[in-house]
Amino acid sequence: SASLTASLICSAGGKDGGKGNFSPEPLTDCPTFEDPLSARPEPVVGGCLFPDRLDVTTNRTLEPGAYCGGVRMAGAIDVTLRPGVYVFKDGAFEVDGPVRLTGIDVGLFFTGAGASLRFGQQSSISLEAPRQGVMAGMLMFGSRSQPASTKFEILSDDARNLLGTIYLPRGEVYIDANQPIADRSAYTAIVSRMMTMLGGPTLVLNTSYDLTDVPVPEGIRGAGQPISLVK
């Protein structure tokens, strides 16, 4: 029962779904265009804050840095991410159960084997990308050296503010939620190898760039739009 609605749906790689899944029906012979963020440098990964997986089961504020082995949050807890870049190296970032996760001016960078994402159904997520620095405008960034089709799962029924650009050039964005995703964000852009929507999710990709001071990465604003001459 998933649906994709847009002014134009244009695919170079075909489609999978029936007439009720798309409005309008996709054009499937469109030309490809280059990755608009291919020149964006990856963040530098420093020493590990934690050498093994970090389990968070009580209210906590986390500091930016490299989390080697991943992070798992679980339980009825509040977790705040301080401003900065969070590196998840060789392990997943998992938010399970009724965790409330918030962060302003935060960028999530994924690198190494098993560096993936899972926002569970009961979780509450509100994240905004950095206003400046190496991850300015980038909410999520998957390393270009990751295995193909690394899965980034957004299953949360309360992930309505995902402000910024989700850039996963080797990843699969997998969405299966019962409530709208990102509809309260001024803008959300997604660049990924693949995107799968199951169930009945409503993914909203707003483009109200002027309503936020989170910068839009060069190459995102107007990407793939027709070119015209104006007076």
Side-chain angles (χ1 to χ4, degrees):
S1 58
S3 65
L4 175 62
T5 302
S7 58
L8 171 68
I9 304 172
C10 193
S11 167
K15 65 166 182 136
D16 183 8
K19 289 186 177 296
N21 297 124
F22 303 98
S23 179
E25 274 291 289
L27 302 176
T28 55
D29 59 350
C30 292
T32 62
F33 68 95
E34 297 300 319
D35 178 351
L37 298 176
S38 60
R40 184 80 181 228
E42 297 187 5
V44 175
V45 179
C48 300
L49 287 179
F50 295 89
D52 300 306
R53 189 179 81 169
L54 174 65
D55 289 299
V56 180
T57 56
T58 59
N59 294 347
R60 187 163 179 175
T61 298
L62 296 184
E63 302 291 336
Y67 292 79
C68 302
V71 175
R72 183 176 184 269
M73 303 175 182
I77 59 174
D78 291 341
V79 181
T80 301
L81 304 182
R82 290 194 187 277
V85 177
Y86 291 76
V87 176
F88 301 98
K89 181 180 179 183
D90 299 330
F93 180 28
E94 301 173 283
V95 183
D96 291 319
V99 178
R100 188 170 71 171
L101 176 66
T102 58
I104 295 176
D105 285 326
V106 299
L108 312 180
F109 179 62
F110 301 86
T111 184
S116 59
L117 172 78
R118 186 180 188 275
F119 290 153
Q121 183 179 14
Q122 293 180 290
S123 64
S124 177
I125 311 295
S126 179
L127 299 173
E128 299 184 5
R131 271 73 175 170
Q132 57 187 356
V134 66
M135 288 274 286
M138 306 288 283
L139 182 60
M140 301 180 194
F141 193 146
S143 173
R144 300 181 183 92
S145 62
Q146 283 195 296
S149 297
T150 299
K151 187 172 286 189
F152 295 80
E153 298 179 278
I154 301 177
L155 313 178
S156 170
D157 283 339
D158 186 10
R160 307 187 71 176
N161 185 32
L162 299 175
L163 176 54
T165 298
I166 297 173
Y167 178 54
L168 307 169
R170 300 279 288 171
E172 175 187 355
V173 178
Y174 183 94
I175 298 175
D176 187 1
N178 299 311
Q179 299 297 325
I181 300 293
D183 63 314
R184 293 178 181 171
S185 314
Y187 88 87
T188 305
I190 297 177
V191 178
S192 66
R193 181 177 181 274
M194 182 176 180
M195 184 165 68
T196 300
M197 298 176 65
L198 293 178
T202 299
L203 172 64
V204 179
L205 302 180
N206 289 320
T207 56
S208 301
Y209 303 128
D210 297 334
L211 297 183
T212 178
D213 56 353
V214 172
V216 183
E218 185 176 353
I220 291 297
R221 187 191 293 257
Q225 297 300 310
I227 298 173
S228 62
L229 297 177
V230 296
K231 184 176 180 180

